Amino acid sequence: MDRETAILQAGYRSNKDAGAFVDGPQFAATYIAPGDPSQNSLTYGRFHNPTWTMWEEALGVLEGGTAISFASGMAAVAAVFGVCLRPGDAVVLPADSYYTTRVLASNWLTAIGIQVRLAPTRDNGQMRVLEGARLLWIETPTNPQLEVCDIQELVRVSRRLGVLVAVDNTTATAYLQQPLALGADYVVASDTKALTGHGDVVLGHLATTDQERASALRAWRTQQGAIPGPMEAWLAHRSLATLALRLTRQCASAEALAAFLRSQPTVETVYYPGLADHPGHAVAKRQMRAFGSVVSFDLGTLARAEAFLRALTFVREATSFGGVHSTAERRARWGGDAISEGFVRFSVGCEATQDILNEVGSALEAAV
Ligand SMILES: Cc1ncc(COP(=O)(O)O)c(C=O)c1O
């Protein structure tokens, strides 16, 4: 069965099993569970929930491992840090990772004696500082600069050095890239983005092929408490059915947009791994099914980027990315990334490709 078909079956009742086509979300803080708790499969809402189970089954099919859902992407990031790292350990992060991952590490890990090493994603720069580390944290493509590294190669070197590998797969999603199949120990994602794709839930998950690690992560979630809500898990599962359709459309439009931007004299730089001269193009082509729905570009100055955003007619100026509606933002308004004031992150939605190109073309004209 192709993965696209498998995703549609994942977590649902079988075709021989009579009952509701789709079970509704189960809202339960507690369960009627007399006697010995270990004899009851459902006891308390922080420990388990049948709606999470369905969602996690689906995620497991997608990732090729055991998946655990969390209240947000950052809750999933923190869970990997929490189970893997102890005082005296070192973690290697991308210097260009999602900003909050670096903030979490520098604010909280260093405070308990964990060394945080930063190195660039490009050209597998993290490989140079791996010696003696406990955990390598990869993000590819990175948010927002869309740098790419070679997961298989970094895993190969990490194995030799006894370093665990976790991959933040948010920008690609498990549909476009499968880090567990490439040898990673953990895959983590913000499901707030393209995986659910409708801009209506904040969620995250992680997955692993190792059952002991999965148990430790589940225990972390139970004890630390960053559980998903049943409604969010249900909405996310529903959204997953269209993941392949959405991303096929979005990635095709993103490729067209990157090529269009490249042809525009007022655009200084275009960042998109699908462009043949992107430094990570060959690796991205090998390890991704398509190049993703985000295109970043540099308009040189704050004033031009702001004028571009003001001139947009249907694309919303909003943060986050990967949704069915196109959005754009001037990323430097948040700080924390080594980017220019004119850097725009554009998330390509499911609108007609030509409408997106027309919209961007007109806004660029208004921004000269
Ligand atoms: C690459 C990456 N990882 C993690 C996160 C955190 O996810 P969340 O906002 O769902 O906590 C984000 C959010 O933008 C992200 O872009």
Side-chain angles (χ1 to χ4, degrees), residues 11 23-31 40-59 67-70 203 218 221-222 226-237:
D23 289 323
Q26 187 167 112
F27 302 109
T30 191
Y31 295 85
N40 290 290
S41 59
L42 294 170
T43 54
Y44 184 58
R46 180 162 41 78
F47 303 166
H48 29 230
N49 176 288
T51 311
W52 304 348
T53 307
M54 285 170 53
W55 165 232
E56 287 173 347
E57 253 179 66
L59 287 170
I68 300 150
S69 177
F70 282 82
L203 270 184
R218 216 173 272 116
R221 181 181 66 183
T222 300
I227 56 168
M231 188 68 198
E232 279 81 354
W234 188 85
L235 280 170
H237 195 181

Side-chain angles (χ1 to χ4, degrees), residues 72-74 77 98 101 139 143 168 170 190 192-193 202-203 321:
S72 68
M74 285 317 299
V77 173
Y98 172 55
T101 302
E139 190 180 305
N143 167 26
D168 184 331
T170 301
S190 165
T192 314
K193 311 292 184 308
V202 175
L203 270 184
F321 55 88

Side-chain angles (χ1 to χ4, degrees), residues 80-105:
V80 177
F81 287 170
V83 300
C84 291
L85 299 170
R86 294 291 172 269
D89 286 343
V91 57
V92 177
L93 298 183
D96 43 1
S97 73
Y98 172 55
Y99 174 58
T100 309
T101 302
R102 281 176 281 132
V103 172
L104 175 72

Side-chain angles (χ1 to χ4, degrees), residues 5 20 65 71 138 161 185 205 241 260 266 295 302 350 362 366:
T5 313
I138 294 173
L161 297 171
D185 299 295
H205 79 270
F260 173 73
T266 55
V295 181
L302 184 154
C350 289
S362 305

Side-chain angles (χ1 to χ4, degrees), residues 21-352:
F21 196 89
V22 179
D23 289 323
Q26 187 167 112
F27 302 109
T30 191
Y31 295 85
I32 301 162
D36 179 357
S38 69
Q39 298 309 304
N40 290 290
S41 59
L42 294 170
T43 54
Y44 184 58
R46 180 162 41 78
F47 303 166
H48 29 230
N49 176 288
T51 311
W52 304 348
T53 307
M54 285 170 53
W55 165 232
E56 287 173 347
E57 253 179 66
L59 287 170
V61 169
L62 204 62
E63 296 286 10
T66 300
I68 300 150
S69 177
F70 282 82
S72 68
M74 285 317 299
V77 173
V80 177
F81 287 170
V83 300
C84 291
L85 299 170
R86 294 291 172 269
D89 286 343
V91 57
V92 177
L93 298 183
D96 43 1
S97 73
Y98 172 55
Y99 174 58
T100 309
T101 302
R102 281 176 281 132
V103 172
L104 175 72
S106 64
N107 279 356
W108 303 97
L109 299 185
T110 51
I112 56 165
I114 294 166
Q115 186 193 35
V116 178
R117 302 180 191 165
L118 299 177
T121 296
R122 188 182 287 197
D123 298 330
N124 300 332
Q126 293 173 277
M127 208 132 80
R128 293 191 282 276
V129 292
L130 274 185
E131 195 89 43
R134 169 79 181 144
L135 176 68
L136 167 64
W137 188 270
I138 294 173
E139 190 180 305
T140 180
T142 56
N143 167 26
Q145 290 163 90
L146 306 175
E147 291 286 354
V148 169
C149 62
D150 186 333
I151 298 174
Q152 237 168 349
E153 180 60 8
L154 283 159
V155 165
R156 188 184 65 75
V157 176
S158 299
R159 282 273 169 285
R160 187 163 52 72
L161 297 171
V163 181
L164 291 167
V165 180
V167 179
D168 184 331
N169 205 29
T170 301
T171 51
T173 78
Y175 177 59
L176 300 184
Q177 179 169 271
Q178 283 192 295
L180 295 182
L182 298 173
D185 299 295
Y186 300 96
V187 59
V188 182
S190 165
D191 301 335
T192 314
K193 311 292 184 308
L195 196 79
T196 62
H198 289 71
D200 51 9
V201 295
V202 175
L203 270 184
H205 79 270
L206 48 83
T208 173
T209 54
D210 181 303
Q211 290 320 305
E212 267 180 39
R213 289 187 186 134
S215 300
L217 289 161
R218 216 173 272 116
W220 170 277
R221 181 181 66 183
T222 300
Q223 290 153 24
Q224 191 264 350
I227 56 168
M231 188 68 198
E232 279 81 354
W234 188 85
L235 280 170
H237 195 181
R238 183 185 159 108
S239 302
L240 200 62
T242 55
L243 177 67
L245 286 173
R246 285 186 276 115
L247 276 179
T248 302
R249 170 67 165 260
Q250 288 172 258
C251 293
S253 294
E255 282 195 43
L257 178 63
F260 173 73
L261 288 165
R262 174 54 67 75
S263 72
Q264 298 299 299
T266 55
V267 178
E268 295 195 356
T269 315
V270 184
Y271 305 84
Y272 188 64
L275 291 170
D277 59 355
H278 183 282
H281 178 69
V283 172
K285 200 167 173 179
R286 201 167 59 236
Q287 71 191 12
M288 297 176 76
R289 190 173 179 129
F291 301 103
S293 58
V294 179
V295 181
S296 295
F297 53 98
D298 198 337
L299 293 179
T301 65
L302 184 154
R304 287 192 44 225
E306 291 290 345
F308 170 82
L309 294 168
R310 268 196 311 278
L312 294 169
T313 61
F314 68 83
V315 173
R316 275 87 170 167
E317 186 181 346
T319 196
S320 200
F321 55 88
V324 291
H325 298 97
S326 290
T327 58
E329 72 168 333
R330 195 179 64 78
R331 194 61 195 160
R333 67 187 174 141
W334 298 98
D337 291 312
I339 51 174
S340 97
E341 290 292 339
F343 185 103
V344 174
R345 186 182 68 191
F346 196 103
S347 174
V348 179
C350 289
E351 300 90 350

